[in-house]
Amino acid sequence: MNDLVRQHTALGEADLDWLHLLVSEWQLLSDLSFADLVLWVPTRDGTRYVSVAQMRPNTGPTSYQDDMVGHLVPRGRRPLLDSALDEGRIVREGDPEWREEVPVRVESIPVWREGRVLGVIARNTNLLTVRTPSRLELTYLQSASDLAQMIAAGAFPFPGQQGDMDVSPRVGDGLIRLDAEGHVQYASPNALSAYHRLGLAADLVGLHLGQTTADLAPARGAVDESLVKLASGWAPREAEIEGDACVVQLRAIPLKPKGTRIGSLVLLRDVTEVRRRERELITKDATIREIHHRVKNNLQTVAALLRLQARRIGASGDNRAREALEEAVRRVGSIAIVHETLSQNLDERVDFDEIADRVLAMVAEIAPGKVTGRRTGRFGILPAEVATPLSMVLTEVLQNALEHGYGPGEHGALEVGAVRGPDGGEPRLLVTVQDDGRGLPEGFDVRTSGNLGLQIVRTLVEGELGGTFDMVPAGERGTRVLFDLPVPGEKR
């Protein structure tokens, strides 16, 4: 819609925001009308209309099999649009149109904002299945008529009260029509069932919905008064009522078709099962985070024990054994960093940039001279099954560069680079670790040469991560290590 409005019309950003607010709410009008809605906006030169949005009803058959968004029609071809735009009123005159042997009644509703018409909503009702309407259908249609008048007066939607249609109750979930005093005029079967689950033993019709709802909800002191007002439909609000065995979500919509409140619509939905599953997920998330936290603590304990053992061996003069244990401490520490990050998240995904920076700082502590490290680019969000082995790989490569690239007292720089991007359509992560140290020894072959650390790197990169690994000279001095890894589970 943004592109169409900016390309073809003279509407400003504030007008576009109003259309977005309208489109976020107009599923309600479509369902109450049993009709398709198409939003037409006049073009910049005023000679045509462009359709910028479309909505099909959940409560009835569609009138349009094809997508209408982006269509351009000249003025004069659809007289009802011209009349609604020019006269600023709802236009219902005219005979039904025939589309693919289906009679369709068309009505035009002007969209007002701050004293001018921004566009016109074409309401298209499929008449093929028209029958004698029930009480529910009559209530729907009357409510749709009231909402249409509010749109034509610029009184709907409500600014600052944008609803999220993914979570808000819909017409089919349950609907209650109230009069101006808040008494129930009609309650749909789903709405009545929801109140019965809350504990109501009688019919809803004739009852004051606000007071009835407050009586069914657990005592909350001063909150009861606001709940009474909300359920009475005095203002556009949403709330949840939790009974002993049921949770009901309410949404109140005041009806002011001629500027004066004549009643309200209350949409409601039983969300008991949804909330139960959310509580289960919260409990599981908390358990998973606690597990990661305990694993991190256990790894830190192991690292502390290895460090203590390294000190004792160092006191006996066996430096090679001490260095081996210190390497093991850093390997355990890199895994602990990942679990610490996972313990703070709600899912099994981590921001690896933070982990890379911490690993770089941890390894730099062992530098024999003054070696500085920095990161360029972004690793981004990675799943735990990639982050854990990658943290070990990064630790080993950095540790190897410091130990073999620099001598005591030497200065240098280490750089870790990361690039995310597609390669042949598959999301990948390209990592480079470059130093300006002594470089590779003569005749070095990454496939056959290398210490235990490089063997670990090769095994993790090629075996566990399914990537490629290489070490090459970085110009006249230094070494560059290259990783090319797939990123599983990521959408293009």
Side-chain angles (χ1 to χ4, degrees):
M1 185 166 71
N2 287 348
D3 294 339
L4 289 170
V5 168
R6 290 167 181 158
Q7 179 183 354
H8 295 286
T9 78
L11 298 183
E13 292 301 316
D15 298 327
L16 182 56
D17 290 341
W18 182 261
L19 295 184
H20 274 293
L21 184 61
L22 172 65
V23 168
S24 72
E25 295 279 13
W26 70 344
Q27 179 75 65
L28 175 63
L29 177 63
S30 178
D31 290 345
L32 289 172
S33 304
F34 309 97
D36 291 73
L37 305 179
V38 179
L39 177 57
W40 296 93
V41 180
T43 57
R44 190 174 288 105
D45 58 8
T47 61
R48 296 180 297 175
Y49 298 96
V50 58
S51 57
V52 299
Q54 179 179 1
M55 178 59 66
R56 292 183 173 89
N58 293 317
T59 52
T62 183
S63 302
Y64 286 110
Q65 299 298 326
D66 299 326
D67 188 1
M68 294 296 297
V69 175
H71 283 215
L72 289 161
V73 297
R75 276 184 65 96
R77 180 173 296 179
R78 302 195 178 187
L80 296 186
L81 294 182
D82 298 338
S83 298
L85 181 68
D86 297 338
E87 301 172 21
R89 64 180 179 88
I90 298 176
V91 181
R92 297 189 176 93
E93 298 88 353
D95 296 327
E97 298 180 3
W98 287 84
R99 299 176 189 160
E100 298 180 358
E101 300 184 355
V102 175
V104 177
R105 183 176 65 243
V106 181
E107 304 168 74
S108 296
I109 305 166
V111 178
W112 276 86
R113 177 182 178 269
E114 296 183 353
R116 63 194 183 94
V117 180
L118 305 183
V120 180
I121 295 175
R123 181 163 57 175
N124 304 268
T125 306
N126 186 324
L127 299 178
L128 198 60
T129 58
V130 169
R131 61 186 185 280
T132 302
S134 64
R135 179 74 188 280
L136 179 144
E137 292 169 329
L138 288 173
T139 303
Y140 277 20
L141 293 172
Q142 180 58 53
S143 301
S145 176
D146 294 335
L147 282 178
Q149 293 182 57
M150 291 171 65
I151 292 174
F156 186 84
F158 305 107
Q161 296 293 328
Q162 183 171 354
D164 186 349
M165 293 306 297
D166 290 334
V167 297
S168 294
R170 299 189 178 221
V171 170
D173 296 326
L175 178 141
I176 298 175
R177 173 84 185 217
L178 306 179
D179 63 16
E181 285 73 38
H183 293 94
V184 177
Q185 293 180 315
Y186 175 79
S188 71
N190 285 347
L192 186 59
S193 297
Y195 266 82
H196 283 167
R197 285 190 288 273
L198 279 173
L200 180 69
D203 192 2
L204 269 174
V205 176
L207 298 180
H208 189 278
L209 187 66
Q211 191 58 55
T212 301
T213 303
D215 293 341
L216 293 173
R220 298 179 181 178
V223 180
D224 288 346
E225 183 177 350
S226 64
L227 183 59
V228 170
K229 289 184 177 180
L230 183 144
S232 300
W234 286 97
R237 295 286 187 273
E238 290 192 25
E240 286 189 3
I241 295 88
E242 185 167 357
D244 294 334
C246 181
V247 182
V248 175
Q249 183 181 15
L250 297 181
R251 182 188 180 196
I253 303 170
L255 297 176
K256 303 176 181 179
K258 296 181 180 180
T260 302
R261 181 174 171 275
I262 63 168
S264 307
L265 283 181
V266 176
L267 305 180
L268 65 155
R269 178 172 59 180
D270 186 343
V271 293
T272 308
E273 187 63 20
V274 174
R275 297 296 174 260
R276 183 187 68 80
R277 291 180 179 178
E278 285 180 351
R279 285 192 288 268
E280 287 183 353
L281 287 174
I282 290 172
T283 302
K284 290 179 180 178
D285 286 338
T287 302
I288 290 171
R289 282 185 288 177
E290 178 62 21
I291 290 172
H292 284 302
H293 181 71
R294 294 188 182 188
V295 169
K296 182 262 297 184
N297 289 344
N298 291 339
L299 289 172
Q300 289 180 335
T301 301
V302 171
L305 291 173
L306 291 173
R307 193 177 295 111
L308 179 62
Q309 188 67 42
R311 289 172 184 169
R312 291 193 175 184
I313 291 176
S316 67
D318 191 346
N319 290 331
R320 293 186 61 184
R322 177 179 59 80
E323 291 173 358
L325 285 175
E326 288 177 346
E327 288 183 1
V329 168
R330 286 187 287 274
R331 289 166 184 152
V332 172
S334 66
I335 302 175
I337 291 173
V338 177
H339 281 280
E340 181 180 4
T341 306
L342 287 170
S343 69
Q344 301 169 1
N345 296 336
L346 292 177
D347 56 15
E348 292 292 293
R349 299 170 66 82
V350 297
D351 185 350
F352 199 82
D353 294 325
E354 178 185 352
I355 293 174
D357 292 341
R358 293 179 62 180
V359 168
L360 190 58
M362 177 183 69
V363 175
E365 295 176 358
I366 69 167
K370 187 177 181 181
V371 180
T372 59
R374 73 186 186 108
R375 172 178 57 84
T376 61
R378 287 185 54 82
F379 287 87
I381 304 299
L382 295 176
E385 62 266 24
V386 173
T388 301
L390 184 56
S391 68
M392 288 191 64
V393 166
L394 199 56
T395 301
E396 296 295 337
V397 172
L398 291 171
Q399 186 171 278
N400 186 75
L402 290 172
E403 289 183 356
H404 301 286
Y406 304 96
E410 291 184 349
H411 290 210
L414 269 174
E415 181 176 298
V416 177
V419 177
R420 294 282 285 267
D423 183 12
E426 181 184 15
R428 304 190 73 82
L429 173 64
L430 307 177
V431 183
T432 60
V433 179
Q434 183 167 326
D435 64 70
D436 57 357
R438 300 169 187 160
L440 296 173
E442 189 72 26
F444 179 84
D445 184 355
V446 71
R447 293 291 171 186
T448 58
S449 304
N451 54 20
L452 174 62
L454 291 182
Q455 294 176 19
I456 292 174
V457 169
R458 191 160 46 245
T459 300
L460 290 175
V461 171
E462 297 177 353
E464 188 163 343
L465 295 175
T468 59
F469 159 61
D470 198 7
M471 294 180 70
V472 297
E476 296 181 358
R477 181 176 174 84
T479 304
R480 182 184 295 117
V481 184
L482 308 171
F483 307 107
D484 184 354
L485 312 172
V487 182
E490 182 177 284
K491 295 180 181 179
R492 295 186 187 179

